[in-house]
Amino acid sequence: MLWLGMGIPVLGAVLTAFALNVLGLGGESESVSPPAGGPSVSSSSGPFTVSARQENDEGCTATPRKVSSLEDRAELVSGGDVGAVVRRNQGARVGELDVSLTIEGGTVPLTITSIDIKPKSPRPAPPLSGTLLCEPTAGGEPKIQLFADMDRPEPVFLTGKSSTQRYFRDKVITVKPGEQVNLSASFLAGNGSREFGLIVRYVQNGKEATVPVPAPRGGRYAVTGYSKKYEALYTGSRGGVFQLIADPELCRWSPAPQC
């Protein structure tokens, strides 16, 4: 399920930069392609700007297949660019993906009528079971909270974690000129894996329109539940170096990895 709060499973410890780069959600925006190695840049010509940044300081990430290239394995065990390894191998956060959204108004007031979740597939795929990368967890404070079950065929934002009421059925978000509105989304998955997009629907001067919220750094929005087993497991350290666990089949994954 997905929880839009300002808050954030797990094991070992890793570089803070890894958390920001794990899915490339290091600070993205509405319409301009990101420069190589950097975050997306917001467009200043639109009615407003919207950006996303991953909030998970720590957690686990899984890849569809075992990380096997010499280059990638060297990056992991030497403290290299772990985020680049994750992006090259199409990794996804495990259990929970926390993303903060920042909407900044332009010169004319507008009303956000909905933030839509657009899954890339009709139903969740099996959990990713290639390589699992883990580091410790952290938390935060929510400003606006929304919830959605990412295991459902058509996930939507709800008013509470156990609620069935759609948040945007009775509520909207008004953005004044120059005002900054901060939200935080936690996308939770328990049974499968899901890649998805985000679209902001708004009304300005009586006209309806939409703005996509692309992921930064060439990354993607993706979350996966824990698999029953993995082909490989690495645990991280605060210095950014990962250690390969010899026999990941001896580990238990739910509710958090234990080896």
Side-chain angles (χ1 to χ4, degrees), residues 55-142:
E55 288 182 352
N56 306 70
D57 289 331
E58 294 89 11
C60 284
T61 299
T63 63
R65 292 164 295 280
K66 184 178 180 179
V67 175
S68 58
S69 76
L70 291 176
E71 177 188 3
D72 287 343
R73 285 184 290 161
E75 292 270 23
L76 293 175
V77 302
S78 65
D81 189 350
V82 179
V85 174
V86 171
R87 290 193 295 273
R88 284 196 294 269
N89 289 274
Q90 293 292 294
R93 294 299 281 189
V94 182
E96 180 174 341
L97 166 66
D98 294 309
V99 178
S100 62
L101 301 176
T102 300
I103 298 172
E104 187 167 348
T107 59
V108 180
L110 61 96
T111 299
I112 305 297
T113 59
S114 177
I115 300 175
D116 296 348
I117 306 162
K118 297 294 185 180
K120 304 295 184 180
S121 59
R123 294 184 179 278
L128 304 185
S129 59
T131 292
L132 184 68
L133 307 171
C134 285
E135 75 285 359
T137 58
E141 294 279 336

Side-chain angles (χ1 to χ4, degrees), residues 29-42:
S29 232
E30 152 184 355
S31 59
V32 180
S33 299
S40 299
V41 180
S42 296

Side-chain angles (χ1 to χ4, degrees), residues 76-77 132-133 233-237 241-246:
L76 293 175
V77 302
L132 184 68
L133 307 171
L233 167 65
Y234 289 82
T235 60
S237 71
V241 177
F242 278 79
Q243 177 183 2
L244 176 64
I245 301 300

Side-chain angles (χ1 to χ4, degrees), residues 119-162:
K120 304 295 184 180
S121 59
R123 294 184 179 278
L128 304 185
S129 59
T131 292
L132 184 68
L133 307 171
C134 285
E135 75 285 359
T137 58
E141 294 279 336
K143 180 177 181 181
I144 296 179
Q145 294 184 345
L146 301 173
F147 302 81
D149 186 350
M150 295 304 295
D151 289 325
R152 295 175 65 96
E154 298 181 3
V156 295
F157 289 112
L158 306 174
T159 58
K161 198 169 187 179
S162 300

Side-chain angles (χ1 to χ4, degrees), residues 194-211:
R194 211 78 180 273
E195 182 178 359
F196 57 94
L198 294 176
I199 295 178
V200 175
R201 296 186 180 276
Y202 69 96
V203 175
Q204 188 174 55
N205 291 330
K207 296 182 179 180
E208 297 182 359
T210 63
V211 168

